Each structure stands twice: as structure tokens, then as C-alpha cells.
Amino acid sequence: SRSSEPTKPVRSIVPFPPGQGADFVGRLLAERLTPALGQQVVVENRPGAGSMIGTEYVAKAPADGYTLLIGGTSAMVINPHLYSKLGYDTLRDFAPISNIASLPLMICVKSSFPAHAIQDLIKLAKRRPGEITYGSSGNGSTHHLAQAMFTSAAGIQRTHVPYKGSTASMADLIGGQIAMLADTMPAVLPFVRVGTIRALGVTSIKRSPFFPDVPTLDEQGLKGFDATAWAGFVAPAETPTVILERLNKEVIKALKTPEMQKRFQDLAMVPIGDTREQFDAFLKVELARWGKAVMVSGAKID
């Protein structure tokens, strides 16, 4: 069993292409952990198969603290319910280090759409069942499932239009091909600021510090609604506790620095930095929450 001092570079695997939320998180973290650990922390993008390729790679990697994963909502808590044959088990194959950032979703419409609040939208959908279309970054994605949870909680019928990635769905929302979508703050921020799209509600239980005037779905009559994407740091399951403890301590220290707080703020992400026990408990709650979302959405991918 090695000490908590690494003697060679540490790889942080991001199961997504560069330029997405999890990738930003991975790079910010690597930048701070490199001087803290005295070894280079290298971010390696291993995208593919809805984040399964990179995730499975880490699940099967040696548990020596040299291969870590930036795991998020789809990889850790959605895919286990979507795929009947998954090459990893979230609770069995990974050791939680710390949750890094939360990314609430904003429910948005084109600015010309005749709804200014969630209840307007619900009334409209009840008058015209199935006519309102919503886009997502793909079948079974966080964007799709948060909307499916909303459809179910509101007791309405809408039509889902899946896209390959969130950029394509945003382009079609602006172009008027779809009525609405749900996406993370960094993606919607520029368009809401210039008034091309309007935010009707935020999917987290508390308002976002970045959009304090946008009410939550819970405040707008959908009691207890909470569907927030997140990105956390995990290691292969058998990684020695001394290594996990050291990484947890360094992550929390890094997230507390004013410089990191500012970088997260610029990306409209809320830094977390919790204990290993808290993150472990959170994973169990999230597995149940998104399992329910997959069920109501009817999404299944084999």
C-alpha cells in the first residue's frame, strides 16, 4: 500500500469531449491539484457511448490512486437505469472522493413564446396536449430526463425531440423549430442575457446565485422538484483510504481558494467540496431519483 504521496503523474479521466461541464471541472481541478500533490495531474478525455467508455475504463483501472474519474450525473446515476448491460456498477466499482460542482438546469423558451412562468406553460400544454415540443441533448440525457420529470410532475403531455448534443438543440430553439429545452447555466447564460431566450424556471430546489430572479419549479407549484446535474471526483473501488483522504482534503482546499471560486462563478457552476461520506450518501439518493426519472420517461437504450 503506497503512502498518500504520488511518485508519478496522476490521470484524471473525463468521459466527455473537451468543452463540456465535466471537462471544465476536470481541468480547473487538475490545475490546482498538480502543485498540491507535487505531481502532474493530467486530464485525459475518453468520450463515447454516453460517457460509458471513460467510466468503464476507470472502473477497471488499478486501484492505486493514479487513475481517477470526473464522474457526473449521466455516467454515475442515469446510465445504470438506462442500459441493461453496463460494464460497471456505480456503488460497487467506485470509491467517492468528493462532489465538485452542481449544475442546475434552466427551463427555457424562445423569447416570443407566449409563456412567462411555469404555470403559463402548464396551462398552455393542457389546452394543446402533445403540441409543445422540447429538445434535449439526446435520449436518456440529463436534459431529457429533467424534462420528463417536469412533464410527469405537471401532469401534461409534450413531445420530446432528441438531438446529438446540446448545441444543436439550442440552435433549433433559437430558430423556432422547438418550443423549449432545459440546459445548464453555462449553455443558456449568453442567450438569456441578450434576450434571445427566456428562462421560466430553474430545476434545483434553491434558486441559482447566477440567476437570482428566476424562480425554482418548487416555488412555481411543483413541490419538491429537484433535478440538478453535477460533476464529482471518484477513484476505483479498492483505492487505499489514505489516498482517498488525501485527495478529498486537497480538493476541498482547492475549491475554497478565491481564485477557484471566481473561475467556477465565471462558468456559472456552484462549487461543492463535501466529505467522502456525504458524497457516498448523495450517490445513493441520486441513483433512486434518476431511476424514477428514467421510469417516467420510458427511455431505454440497449
Short mmCIF file of all heavy atoms in Angstrom, two decimals, residues 71-102:
data_model
loop_
_atom_site.label_atom_id
_atom_site.label_comp_id
_atom_site.label_asym_id
_atom_site.label_seq_id
_atom_site.Cartn_x
_atom_site.Cartn_y
_atom_site.Cartn_z
N GLY A 71 -16.69 11.97 -12.63
CA GLY A 71 -17.96 11.28 -12.93
C GLY A 71 -19.12 12.22 -12.69
O GLY A 71 -19.11 12.97 -11.72
N GLY A 72 -20.09 12.19 -13.57
CA GLY A 72 -21.24 13.08 -13.40
C GLY A 72 -22.55 12.34 -13.42
O GLY A 72 -22.59 11.10 -13.33
N THR A 73 -23.61 13.11 -13.53
CA THR A 73 -24.96 12.57 -13.44
C THR A 73 -25.22 11.42 -14.40
O THR A 73 -25.67 10.36 -14.00
CB THR A 73 -25.99 13.70 -13.71
OG1 THR A 73 -25.48 14.91 -13.17
CG2 THR A 73 -27.33 13.40 -13.07
N SER A 74 -24.92 11.63 -15.71
CA SER A 74 -25.27 10.57 -16.67
C SER A 74 -24.48 9.30 -16.43
O SER A 74 -25.03 8.21 -16.36
CB SER A 74 -25.14 11.07 -18.11
OG SER A 74 -23.85 11.53 -18.35
N ALA A 75 -23.16 9.45 -16.24
CA ALA A 75 -22.31 8.27 -16.05
C ALA A 75 -22.64 7.50 -14.79
O ALA A 75 -22.75 6.28 -14.80
CB ALA A 75 -20.84 8.69 -16.03
N MET A 76 -22.81 8.21 -13.68
CA MET A 76 -22.90 7.55 -12.38
C MET A 76 -24.31 7.15 -11.96
O MET A 76 -24.48 6.14 -11.29
CB MET A 76 -22.31 8.45 -11.28
CG MET A 76 -20.92 9.00 -11.56
SD MET A 76 -19.62 7.76 -11.64
CE MET A 76 -19.49 7.26 -9.96
N VAL A 77 -25.31 7.96 -12.29
CA VAL A 77 -26.65 7.68 -11.73
C VAL A 77 -27.78 7.51 -12.75
O VAL A 77 -28.87 7.11 -12.39
CB VAL A 77 -27.05 8.73 -10.66
CG1 VAL A 77 -26.10 8.66 -9.47
CG2 VAL A 77 -27.09 10.14 -11.22
N ILE A 78 -27.51 7.83 -14.04
CA ILE A 78 -28.56 7.64 -15.05
C ILE A 78 -28.31 6.35 -15.84
O ILE A 78 -29.19 5.51 -15.95
CB ILE A 78 -28.65 8.86 -16.00
CG1 ILE A 78 -29.16 10.09 -15.24
CG2 ILE A 78 -29.55 8.55 -17.19
CD1 ILE A 78 -29.20 11.37 -16.05
N ASN A 79 -27.08 6.20 -16.38
CA ASN A 79 -26.78 5.01 -17.19
C ASN A 79 -27.11 3.67 -16.53
O ASN A 79 -27.59 2.76 -17.19
CB ASN A 79 -25.32 5.02 -17.65
CG ASN A 79 -25.08 6.08 -18.72
OD1 ASN A 79 -26.02 6.64 -19.28
ND2 ASN A 79 -23.82 6.36 -19.01
N PRO A 80 -26.90 3.54 -15.19
CA PRO A 80 -27.24 2.25 -14.56
C PRO A 80 -28.72 1.87 -14.74
O PRO A 80 -29.05 0.69 -14.71
CB PRO A 80 -26.92 2.48 -13.08
CG PRO A 80 -25.86 3.53 -13.08
CD PRO A 80 -26.20 4.43 -14.23
N HIS A 81 -29.60 2.86 -14.96
CA HIS A 81 -31.02 2.56 -15.15
C HIS A 81 -31.40 2.45 -16.63
O HIS A 81 -32.44 1.93 -16.97
CB HIS A 81 -31.88 3.66 -14.53
CG HIS A 81 -31.58 3.89 -13.08
ND1 HIS A 81 -31.96 3.00 -12.09
CD2 HIS A 81 -30.92 4.89 -12.45
CE1 HIS A 81 -31.55 3.47 -10.91
NE2 HIS A 81 -30.92 4.60 -11.11
N LEU A 82 -30.53 2.99 -17.51
CA LEU A 82 -30.86 3.04 -18.94
C LEU A 82 -30.41 1.80 -19.68
O LEU A 82 -31.05 1.38 -20.62
CB LEU A 82 -30.13 4.23 -19.58
CG LEU A 82 -30.81 5.58 -19.66
CD1 LEU A 82 -29.90 6.52 -20.46
CD2 LEU A 82 -32.18 5.51 -20.30
N TYR A 83 -29.26 1.29 -19.28
CA TYR A 83 -28.65 0.19 -20.03
C TYR A 83 -28.77 -1.12 -19.27
O TYR A 83 -28.44 -1.17 -18.09
CB TYR A 83 -27.17 0.48 -20.29
CG TYR A 83 -26.94 1.70 -21.16
CD1 TYR A 83 -26.83 2.97 -20.59
CD2 TYR A 83 -26.86 1.59 -22.54
CE1 TYR A 83 -26.64 4.09 -21.38
CE2 TYR A 83 -26.66 2.70 -23.35
CZ TYR A 83 -26.55 3.95 -22.76
OH TYR A 83 -26.36 5.06 -23.55
N SER A 84 -29.21 -2.16 -19.96
CA SER A 84 -29.33 -3.45 -19.28
C SER A 84 -27.96 -4.10 -19.10
O SER A 84 -27.74 -4.84 -18.16
CB SER A 84 -30.28 -4.37 -20.04
OG SER A 84 -29.87 -4.48 -21.39
N LYS A 85 -27.03 -3.81 -20.02
CA LYS A 85 -25.68 -4.38 -19.89
C LYS A 85 -24.69 -3.24 -19.73
O LYS A 85 -24.23 -2.66 -20.71
CB LYS A 85 -25.32 -5.20 -21.14
CG LYS A 85 -26.21 -6.41 -21.37
CD LYS A 85 -25.85 -7.11 -22.68
CE LYS A 85 -26.88 -8.15 -23.07
NZ LYS A 85 -28.19 -7.56 -23.43
N LEU A 86 -24.36 -2.91 -18.50
CA LEU A 86 -23.42 -1.83 -18.23
C LEU A 86 -22.14 -2.44 -17.69
O LEU A 86 -22.19 -3.34 -16.86
CB LEU A 86 -24.05 -0.87 -17.21
CG LEU A 86 -23.46 0.53 -17.07
CD1 LEU A 86 -23.52 1.30 -18.38
CD2 LEU A 86 -24.20 1.31 -15.99
N GLY A 87 -20.99 -1.95 -18.16
CA GLY A 87 -19.70 -2.54 -17.76
C GLY A 87 -19.21 -2.12 -16.39
O GLY A 87 -18.07 -2.37 -16.03
N TYR A 88 -20.05 -1.45 -15.60
CA TYR A 88 -19.64 -1.04 -14.26
C TYR A 88 -20.86 -0.90 -13.38
O TYR A 88 -21.98 -0.76 -13.86
CB TYR A 88 -18.86 0.29 -14.30
CG TYR A 88 -19.63 1.44 -14.91
CD1 TYR A 88 -20.45 2.26 -14.14
CD2 TYR A 88 -19.54 1.72 -16.27
CE1 TYR A 88 -21.17 3.32 -14.70
CE2 TYR A 88 -20.25 2.77 -16.84
CZ TYR A 88 -21.06 3.57 -16.06
OH TYR A 88 -21.77 4.59 -16.62
N ASP A 89 -20.62 -0.92 -12.06
CA ASP A 89 -21.68 -0.71 -11.07
C ASP A 89 -21.21 0.46 -10.20
O ASP A 89 -20.16 0.39 -9.58
CB ASP A 89 -21.85 -1.99 -10.24
CG ASP A 89 -22.87 -1.84 -9.13
OD1 ASP A 89 -22.69 -0.96 -8.26
OD2 ASP A 89 -23.84 -2.61 -9.11
N THR A 90 -22.00 1.53 -10.18
CA THR A 90 -21.59 2.77 -9.51
C THR A 90 -21.14 2.57 -8.07
O THR A 90 -20.07 3.03 -7.67
CB THR A 90 -22.74 3.80 -9.55
OG1 THR A 90 -23.02 4.06 -10.93
CG2 THR A 90 -22.38 5.10 -8.87
N LEU A 91 -21.95 1.88 -7.27
CA LEU A 91 -21.64 1.75 -5.84
C LEU A 91 -20.57 0.69 -5.58
O LEU A 91 -19.79 0.81 -4.64
CB LEU A 91 -22.90 1.45 -5.03
CG LEU A 91 -24.01 2.53 -5.14
CD1 LEU A 91 -25.25 2.11 -4.37
CD2 LEU A 91 -23.53 3.90 -4.67
N ARG A 92 -20.50 -0.32 -6.43
CA ARG A 92 -19.54 -1.40 -6.21
C ARG A 92 -18.14 -1.07 -6.76
O ARG A 92 -17.13 -1.44 -6.16
CB ARG A 92 -20.06 -2.68 -6.89
CG ARG A 92 -19.23 -3.94 -6.61
CD ARG A 92 -19.57 -5.07 -7.60
NE ARG A 92 -19.23 -4.69 -8.97
CZ ARG A 92 -19.93 -5.09 -10.04
NH1 ARG A 92 -21.00 -5.84 -9.91
NH2 ARG A 92 -19.56 -4.72 -11.25
N ASP A 93 -18.09 -0.37 -7.90
CA ASP A 93 -16.82 -0.20 -8.60
C ASP A 93 -16.08 1.11 -8.33
O ASP A 93 -14.96 1.28 -8.79
CB ASP A 93 -17.03 -0.34 -10.12
CG ASP A 93 -17.47 -1.76 -10.50
OD1 ASP A 93 -17.09 -2.70 -9.77
OD2 ASP A 93 -18.19 -1.91 -11.50
N PHE A 94 -16.72 2.04 -7.61
CA PHE A 94 -16.07 3.33 -7.38
C PHE A 94 -16.03 3.72 -5.91
O PHE A 94 -16.94 3.40 -5.16
CB PHE A 94 -16.78 4.44 -8.17
CG PHE A 94 -16.72 4.24 -9.66
CD1 PHE A 94 -17.81 3.74 -10.36
CD2 PHE A 94 -15.55 4.52 -10.36
CE1 PHE A 94 -17.75 3.53 -11.74
CE2 PHE A 94 -15.48 4.32 -11.74
CZ PHE A 94 -16.58 3.82 -12.42
N ALA A 95 -14.96 4.43 -5.54
CA ALA A 95 -14.83 4.99 -4.20
C ALA A 95 -15.00 6.50 -4.34
O ALA A 95 -14.25 7.14 -5.07
CB ALA A 95 -13.46 4.67 -3.62
N PRO A 96 -16.01 7.09 -3.67
CA PRO A 96 -16.20 8.53 -3.78
C PRO A 96 -15.05 9.32 -3.14
O PRO A 96 -14.55 8.91 -2.09
CB PRO A 96 -17.51 8.79 -3.02
CG PRO A 96 -17.98 7.48 -2.50
CD PRO A 96 -16.96 6.44 -2.77
N ILE A 97 -14.63 10.41 -3.80
CA ILE A 97 -13.62 11.30 -3.22
C ILE A 97 -14.32 12.57 -2.72
O ILE A 97 -14.33 12.86 -1.55
CB ILE A 97 -12.50 11.64 -4.24
CG1 ILE A 97 -11.73 10.37 -4.61
CG2 ILE A 97 -11.55 12.70 -3.67
CD1 ILE A 97 -10.84 10.50 -5.83
N SER A 98 -14.95 13.30 -3.65
CA SER A 98 -15.72 14.49 -3.27
C SER A 98 -16.57 14.92 -4.45
O SER A 98 -16.18 14.73 -5.60
CB SER A 98 -14.78 15.64 -2.88
OG SER A 98 -15.53 16.78 -2.49
N ASN A 99 -17.74 15.49 -4.16
CA ASN A 99 -18.53 16.08 -5.23
C ASN A 99 -17.93 17.45 -5.50
O ASN A 99 -17.55 18.15 -4.57
CB ASN A 99 -20.00 16.19 -4.81
CG ASN A 99 -20.94 16.21 -6.00
OD1 ASN A 99 -20.48 16.27 -7.14
ND2 ASN A 99 -22.23 16.18 -5.75
N ILE A 100 -17.82 17.84 -6.75
CA ILE A 100 -17.09 19.06 -7.11
C ILE A 100 -18.01 20.24 -7.38
O ILE A 100 -17.81 21.33 -6.86
CB ILE A 100 -16.19 18.83 -8.36
CG1 ILE A 100 -15.33 17.58 -8.21
CG2 ILE A 100 -15.33 20.06 -8.62
CD1 ILE A 100 -14.32 17.60 -7.10
N ALA A 101 -19.00 20.04 -8.25
CA ALA A 101 -19.82 21.18 -8.67
C ALA A 101 -21.23 20.75 -9.01
O ALA A 101 -21.44 19.65 -9.49
CB ALA A 101 -19.19 21.84 -9.89
N SER A 102 -22.18 21.65 -8.74
CA SER A 102 -23.55 21.35 -9.15
C SER A 102 -23.94 22.27 -10.30
O SER A 102 -23.52 23.43 -10.37
CB SER A 102 -24.53 21.49 -7.98
OG SER A 102 -24.76 22.85 -7.72
#
